[in-house]
Amino acid sequence: MFNIAFTGEFAAFFVFSAIMICGAVLMISLDKIVHMVISMAAVFLGLAGMFVLLEAEFVAFVQVLIYAGAVSILMIFGIMMTKHHAGETEPAKPIHQTLAAIAALSLFGVLFYAIRTTTFPEPAAFQQSEDNTMAIGELLYTGYVIPFELLSVLLTVAFIGAIVIAKKEAD
């Protein structure tokens, strides 16, 4: 039933999976916003590692650059620019936690059974291109240069607008 070859790729898959699962659990469990953002960045980095395992280097690079870097930094700046006060936390409800744990374990069991008993078709042979990153870059800076530049202006205007709104709240 479990005829799996233990290779470096297999070990890396489980390391990245553990990073993503731990980051996601910490994201919903922690109380401090900054710690939540760091946990979310760990999930993004684990996902970038998964993209590297899938030989999608460009997507992994974009994942690190945009999500793990820019989005996390923007969230931290947004938290710092606004008046954020930690509210009263609700008391723990053990019956809800117990029911959630049972539901999560049940879902895991059903998904595990479904994946193990399903017969997947054989994938077709993959024709790897020479350099997909160069092809994406050429297309981005030739055919889509106008939308690319308009998007950068739109993001700059949105960021300046967020700063203006945050400054008005501070006054």
Side-chain angles (χ1 to χ4, degrees), residues 1-135:
M1 180 175 181
F2 292 108
N3 50 0
I4 299 172
F6 291 98
T7 62
E9 183 178 344
F10 186 75
F13 172 79
F14 277 102
V15 167
F16 290 134
S17 297
I19 290 171
M20 290 173 27
I21 291 169
C22 290
V25 168
L26 286 173
M27 172 67 189
I28 61 174
S29 301
L30 294 173
D31 291 331
K32 297 188 185 243
I33 302 290
V34 176
H35 295 162
M36 290 176 166
V37 171
I38 292 170
S39 299
M40 186 180 63
V43 173
F44 290 151
L45 291 174
L47 185 60
M50 289 289 191
F51 285 135
V52 169
L53 289 178
L54 291 172
E55 297 178 4
E57 297 85 11
F58 179 76
V59 180
F61 174 73
V62 169
Q63 179 74 25
V64 170
L65 188 68
I66 294 176
Y67 286 105
V71 171
S72 299
I73 295 299
L74 281 174
M75 289 182 71
I76 290 174
F77 279 142
I79 292 165
M80 290 178 177
M81 287 190 309
T82 58
K83 293 180 181 178
H84 177 75
H85 300 288
E88 295 289 325
T89 58
E90 294 183 20
K93 298 179 181 175
I95 188 72
H96 290 168
Q97 293 174 347
T98 305
L99 289 175
I102 291 171
L105 288 174
S106 300
L107 177 64
F108 175 76
V110 168
L111 290 175
F112 183 78
Y113 175 75
I115 290 170
R116 294 306 299 171
T117 57
T118 302
T119 56
F120 295 102
E122 285 294 321
F126 177 68
Q127 289 88 21
Q128 184 174 354
S129 65
E130 291 180 19
D131 190 4
N132 59 358
T133 307
M134 182 175 283

Side-chain angles (χ1 to χ4, degrees), residues 148-160:
F148 181 74
E149 291 300 325
L150 288 175
L151 182 64
S152 66
V153 170
L154 176 70
L155 289 173
T156 304
V157 169
F159 188 65
I160 292 171

